[in-house]
Structure formats: structure tokens, C-alpha cells
Amino acid sequence: MTRHLYVDSSVVISLLFEEPNSRRVRPFLRRFSKKMVSASLLEAEVLASAKREGVALDKAAPFVDMVSLVIPERSLLPEYLSIFEAGYLRGADAYHLAAALYTDPTRKQLGFATADQKQSEIADRLGFTVVIF
């Protein structure tokens, strides 16, 4: 079992909107309390989704605070090259996966949680332990 968990925005947004899969997501994430990370892009994606759906931003903000944010100190070009060698992803999905690769290049300490099928396939090809919701 991985020690830490990269959480894609799709997972956090499912919790915010209490989507049907959130009943499975919530108990799983409790096991990783204080051990979850995500790209800083999560802030924009969660808050933009809240605004679009008319959810108060002060209600959405605690969902961002659930995770520690990864802010790379260099270009993620090497990570993108690995990702796009494994397949195609949209830019935001690739950014999340690149941030995960940056955080754990060995893919041994960090699992990858997402609700996106294509992203989960690429994460699996890259060697992450993947949890899909």
C-alpha cells in the first residue's frame, strides 16, 4: 500500500457536489488524512466548479484545504514527455499527472486517485497504484 495519495480534482469535486461515488470516496480518503497531495491547479478547478454550480466559495474552500499543494520548482517537461509517450491526456489532466510524477518519480510512495477513466489508464501505464472512483 502506498504511503501518500495524489488526489485529482475530479475526486475532490465529487465530494463537494456529493456525487453518488462520494459515498465510497470519503471513507477511502480518511485513511490518507494529512497524507494527500495535489497540484495547485486543484484550487482553480474546485473553485471554478463551485462558482459554475452556484455553490458558495466559502463552502468549497475547505475541500481544497484537505490536501497539501504541490508547487513544482522547475519545468515539468520531463514528466510531460513520459506522460505523452504513454498516451494522450488533456492539458489539465496531464498537469495533475506531471505533478504526481514530480512528487514521486519512483511511483512507490504515492498512489493516484481520480474519477477520470483516461487519466487512470495513463497513470497505470506510468506505474502508479491507481484508485479510480
Side-chain angles (χ1 to χ4, degrees), residues 38-89:
S38 190
S40 58
L41 177 61
L42 176 104
E43 292 175 302
E45 290 183 318
V46 169
L47 295 175
S49 295
K51 183 68 174 177
R52 180 189 67 228
E53 299 299 321
V55 173
L57 297 181
D58 62 343
K59 180 184 177 203
F63 288 86
V64 173
D65 291 337
M66 293 173 26
V67 302
S68 297
L69 298 177
V70 174
I71 302 171
E73 296 180 4
R74 61 166 176 76
S75 165
L76 295 178
L77 183 59
E79 289 81 4
Y80 289 124
L81 293 174
S82 295
I83 291 164
F84 293 120
E85 184 70 26
Y88 171 77
L89 288 174

Side-chain angles (χ1 to χ4, degrees), residues 2-67:
T2 58
R3 297 182 58 197
H4 292 83
L5 187 66
Y6 187 95
V7 182
D8 177 58
S9 300
S10 60
V11 175
V12 175
I13 290 168
S14 75
L15 291 174
L16 174 64
F17 296 135
E18 298 179 1
E19 294 174 355
N21 68 341
S22 68
R23 289 184 301 244
R24 292 187 359 237
V25 172
R26 205 173 297 280
F28 180 82
L29 293 184
R30 277 192 201 108
R31 298 188 302 186
F32 290 94
S33 176
K34 306 292 183 198
K35 297 178 186 176
M36 293 185 292
V37 298
S38 190
S40 58
L41 177 61
L42 176 104
E43 292 175 302
E45 290 183 318
V46 169
L47 295 175
S49 295
K51 183 68 174 177
R52 180 189 67 228
E53 299 299 321
V55 173
L57 297 181
D58 62 343
K59 180 184 177 203
F63 288 86
V64 173
D65 291 337
M66 293 173 26
V67 302

